Amino acid sequence: MKAVENIDQNYLIKQLPTPTAFVGNSGVVMDASDSWLEIFGLVPTKKKRKLNILDFFPEAKDFQNNNALSIRHKYISNDRICHFESSFTPWFDDKENVLGSIVQTRDITSEVEKELEIECLNNILKYKSEAAKIGWWEYDALTEEIFWCEETKRIHKAPESYRPDINEAINFYKSGFSQNRISMLFHNAMTKGQSYEVDLIILTFKGEERWVRTTGKPIFKDGKVVKLFGTFKDIHEQVMAETKIKENQQLLTTLIDSLPLNVYVKDLESKKVLVNKAECDYLGKNAEELLGKSDFDLYGKEMAQISRDEDLEVMKHLKPILGKETESAKKDGKTTYFLTSKIPRFDLDGRVNGLIGISMDISAIKKKEEELQNLISITTIQNKKLINFAHIVSHNLRSHSANFSMLLEFLNYEENKEERDKILKMLNHASDNLLETLENLNQVVDVNTKTPQLKKQLNLHDSIVKAQQNIVAFSEKNKAQIINNIPKQITVSSVPAYLDSIILNLITNAIKYKKPSVDPVITVDAFLENNQVCLRVADNGLGIDLEKNGDKVFGMYKTFHQREDAKGFGLYLVRNQIEAMGGTITIESEVDKGSVFNVYFNEENE
């Protein structure tokens, strides 16, 4: 076997690819590779030179304790700073005696530069985070550890050394909605991979409530969530400011909505940009339906043009219109009277950008004015009715009184028993007539003087059917045909007892005053005329000569046909009942051709 050639050990050390030096216990460098010497600017030479390791690493004085040691250091070469890491490892002889340390040096310049770059980025992120008051956090699903940056800790007002776990982090949220919400979002992020962004309330380390906006975004690996990364922003001042603004807006809105006035704001094109509740109620729409609309969208063209001309006048000359009486008719035809003021509206730069309108509904006042205008004529009519009623009462009671006086006088002087019995019967009959007269007069007094009864919406078709059922025997006896043409959906506003009385009187009169040889046919219709429901009762009976008796038709005790059961009270009562409800009644009639009664109901629920 060929003997292995002995190679100079020092020569081998010189060629070591890793910069290496051998140091004795005294600190003297016993040998070193060329690459190690070059790091410190030393030129390799065959001559022995005395180098002490502490000259290179003053901080390496502890290497003599035979402990492993790692030192980072830098060296400037050709105006370039190079970074190194040198590790000290004990060096033993074949008897395990420590001879010194082996020093191996590694160039870590690129690593340090990357670390510095990362540190720089972290500082930039930190400064930006502090400026924007946005922190960040990270949760590791594998280790179940959560990390908070300094800004996140600052927002929580936690010490810099504080290291929360996930339960503690969730418990910072205010108990109740906020804590339940973040728990659910965190769970969904971990199990379903759902990101989130939400505004919630936390309780800081000091127990203060703060509004924060927190986000969370899952990070996946192999289809599984391994981390959650999120941001954390203090929005407390912003939320408080927004809340204050909302409170002020709510206060202003409540104030404006509570005013018994129509308030609106228009832009330069006369389109509404703000409306209050009274304006919405008047137009029968909600605010969303009115905003952006002009008067041309809400009113007739002529009235809208008048309003637009007023708006332009106010915005052009900057002179308000104050307390102008205006008439407003909606597209449904309903007219309302207002006292209207229009005031120029300015922006922050003092330029006109629209107007503010305020309108007070004076329809009730106008109505009162009309009522006052009609008061004299109404009073006159009432006085005439009162005088007429007084004459009727006086005449009727005087007739009954005279009749009683005569009969009593006859009774006083009559000695014949049969004649006395006859007079007593006549007195009983006279008494019944007086009671009937008093009852009739009481009915009229009740209708005209009692507090108006509450009107209700009554089905007109059903009311006719009810009346037919009540007089079925009377109708069959007279072979009367009652035709009910009223649509089933028509209703009228009426006092129930009055409506029953009106229908019964009109139908029974139509049957009672039939032509002797003709079966009575009564046709009942209803229709809408001038926003009033009209009940029409037509018959084929005897009819009335209106030229001769037109002004007497609805008079008390006025009869026009020779019938023993004619009282002349029914139509008088009907007219009083209708007028008591604010309605009217008219008649169309011709002798031997029948009569038509038209009853107009007042639909106002007064």
Side-chain angles (χ1 to χ4, degrees), residues 149-207:
C149 74
E150 291 182 12
E151 181 63 18
T152 300
K153 292 178 183 178
R154 189 195 66 77
I155 294 172
H156 284 81
K157 298 193 176 176
E160 290 186 10
S161 60
Y162 182 66
R163 297 289 183 272
D165 59 31
I166 188 60
N167 291 326
E168 291 174 340
I170 289 176
N171 286 335
F172 269 99
Y173 289 87
K174 186 177 179 180
S175 179
F177 174 81
S178 292
Q179 195 170 111
N180 295 338
R181 181 73 172 150
I182 196 64
S183 298
M184 182 187 69
L185 292 173
F186 181 82
H187 175 76
N188 289 343
M190 292 299 301
T191 58
K192 301 177 182 178
Q194 295 178 352
S195 300
Y196 62 85
E197 179 177 357
V198 66
D199 297 346
L200 299 171
I201 301 174
I202 64 167
L203 292 176
T204 67
F205 234 70
K206 298 179 179 180

Side-chain angles (χ1 to χ4, degrees), residues 222-241:
D222 298 330
K224 293 183 179 180
V225 177
V226 294
K227 287 185 178 181
L228 282 183
F229 180 83
T231 58
F232 207 82
K233 182 178 181 180
D234 185 342
I235 59 169
H236 190 74
E237 303 305 328
Q238 174 187 338
V239 171
M240 291 297 100

Side-chain angles (χ1 to χ4, degrees), residues 219-395:
I219 299 174
F220 296 88
K221 184 177 181 180
D222 298 330
K224 293 183 179 180
V225 177
V226 294
K227 287 185 178 181
L228 282 183
F229 180 83
T231 58
F232 207 82
K233 182 178 181 180
D234 185 342
I235 59 169
H236 190 74
E237 303 305 328
Q238 174 187 338
V239 171
M240 291 297 100
E242 290 175 354
T243 302
K244 189 67 176 176
I245 291 172
K246 288 179 180 178
E247 287 176 351
N248 291 336
Q249 288 177 337
Q250 181 64 32
L251 177 62
L252 181 60
T253 300
T254 302
L255 178 62
I256 294 175
D257 282 343
S258 299
L259 292 174
L261 304 168
N262 290 26
V263 180
Y264 52 86
V265 178
K266 294 181 178 179
D267 61 16
L268 292 172
E269 296 180 353
S270 289
K271 292 182 178 179
K272 287 181 167 64
V273 295
L274 183 146
V275 289
N276 75 336
K277 185 177 183 298
E279 179 75 355
C280 293
D281 291 344
Y282 168 67
L283 293 168
K285 298 179 182 292
N286 56 44
E288 289 73 19
E289 294 174 305
L290 293 179
L291 297 181
K293 297 290 191 305
S294 70
D295 289 335
F296 290 95
D297 300 315
L298 304 170
Y299 304 100
K301 184 177 180 181
E302 182 179 350
M303 188 163 292
Q305 188 61 54
I306 294 173
S307 179
R308 175 59 174 164
D309 292 341
E310 289 177 350
D311 295 351
L312 291 173
E313 188 73 13
V314 170
M315 292 185 287
K316 180 180 179 180
H317 299 289
L318 307 181
K319 186 176 179 180
I321 295 174
L322 300 175
K324 180 179 179 181
E325 186 173 319
T326 58
E327 182 180 323
S328 178
K330 295 183 286 186
K331 288 189 174 181
D332 61 5
K334 185 177 180 181
T335 301
T336 307
Y337 297 93
F338 288 101
L339 274 182
T340 298
S341 298
K342 293 183 177 181
I343 306 165
R345 174 174 170 249
F346 302 93
D347 62 17
L348 295 177
D349 297 323
R351 293 174 296 190
V352 65
N353 64 353
L355 62 82
I356 300 170
I358 302 172
S359 297
M360 182 174 72
D361 187 344
I362 59 170
S363 299
I365 298 175
K366 292 289 289 185
K367 187 176 180 181
K368 290 296 182 183
E369 287 180 359
E370 293 175 3
E371 290 175 357
L372 288 173
Q373 291 295 328
N374 295 328
L375 183 58
I376 295 175
S377 59
I378 293 173
T379 304
T380 301
I381 292 171
Q382 291 293 342
N383 283 339
K384 286 182 179 179
K385 289 175 69 175
L386 181 60
I387 292 170
N388 183 47
F389 184 73
H391 284 316
I392 292 170
V393 171
S394 175
H395 175 270

Side-chain angles (χ1 to χ4, degrees), residues 592-606:
D592 290 331
K593 290 188 178 180
S595 301
V596 177
F597 289 91
N598 296 306
V599 178
Y600 296 91
F601 291 90
N602 181 358
E603 290 302 300
E604 295 182 4
N605 289 316
E606 295 179 346

Side-chain angles (χ1 to χ4, degrees), residues 57-249:
F57 306 107
E59 63 271 44
K61 56 186 177 180
D62 291 337
F63 85 95
Q64 294 170 325
N65 295 330
N66 301 326
N67 295 324
L69 185 66
S70 179
I71 298 173
R72 282 192 171 193
H73 52 97
K74 61 184 177 181
Y75 186 76
I76 300 176
S77 175
N78 298 325
D79 296 328
R80 179 174 180 269
I81 299 177
C82 298
H83 295 269
F84 301 94
E85 184 179 60
S86 295
S87 58
F88 289 73
T89 306
W91 171 29
F92 302 94
D93 61 12
D94 56 357
K95 294 182 180 179
E96 298 298 324
N97 295 317
V98 177
L99 301 179
S101 293
I102 302 173
V103 181
Q104 290 184 307
T105 302
R106 182 170 63 91
D107 188 341
I108 60 170
T109 301
S110 60
E111 294 178 21
V112 171
E113 287 176 348
K114 288 181 180 178
E115 288 176 358
L116 291 174
E117 183 179 351
I118 292 172
E119 183 180 358
C120 180
L121 290 174
N122 285 336
N123 287 333
I124 292 173
L125 179 62
K126 177 183 176 182
Y127 298 143
K128 285 186 175 181
S129 175
E130 290 176 353
K133 295 184 178 180
I134 299 177
W136 60 274
W137 58 272
E138 186 178 78
Y139 174 73
D140 191 321
L142 299 177
T143 63
E144 296 186 351
E145 293 180 346
I146 187 169
F147 174 80
W148 283 357
C149 74
E150 291 182 12
E151 181 63 18
T152 300
K153 292 178 183 178
R154 189 195 66 77
I155 294 172
H156 284 81
K157 298 193 176 176
E160 290 186 10
S161 60
Y162 182 66
R163 297 289 183 272
D165 59 31
I166 188 60
N167 291 326
E168 291 174 340
I170 289 176
N171 286 335
F172 269 99
Y173 289 87
K174 186 177 179 180
S175 179
F177 174 81
S178 292
Q179 195 170 111
N180 295 338
R181 181 73 172 150
I182 196 64
S183 298
M184 182 187 69
L185 292 173
F186 181 82
H187 175 76
N188 289 343
M190 292 299 301
T191 58
K192 301 177 182 178
Q194 295 178 352
S195 300
Y196 62 85
E197 179 177 357
V198 66
D199 297 346
L200 299 171
I201 301 174
I202 64 167
L203 292 176
T204 67
F205 234 70
K206 298 179 179 180
E208 301 170 341
E209 286 191 6
R210 304 289 293 183
W211 276 95
V212 297
R213 177 170 296 153
T214 182
T215 67
K217 182 177 179 60
I219 299 174
F220 296 88
K221 184 177 181 180
D222 298 330
K224 293 183 179 180
V225 177
V226 294
K227 287 185 178 181
L228 282 183
F229 180 83
T231 58
F232 207 82
K233 182 178 181 180
D234 185 342
I235 59 169
H236 190 74
E237 303 305 328
Q238 174 187 338
V239 171
M240 291 297 100
E242 290 175 354
T243 302
K244 189 67 176 176
I245 291 172
K246 288 179 180 178
E247 287 176 351
N248 291 336
Q249 288 177 337

Side-chain angles (χ1 to χ4, degrees), residues 518-536:
V518 179
D519 291 340
V521 177
I522 298 94
T523 305
V524 186
D525 296 282
F527 54 89
L528 192 65
E529 183 177 314
N530 297 326
N531 295 322
Q532 285 184 301
V533 175
C534 176
L535 169 66
R536 172 169 289 181

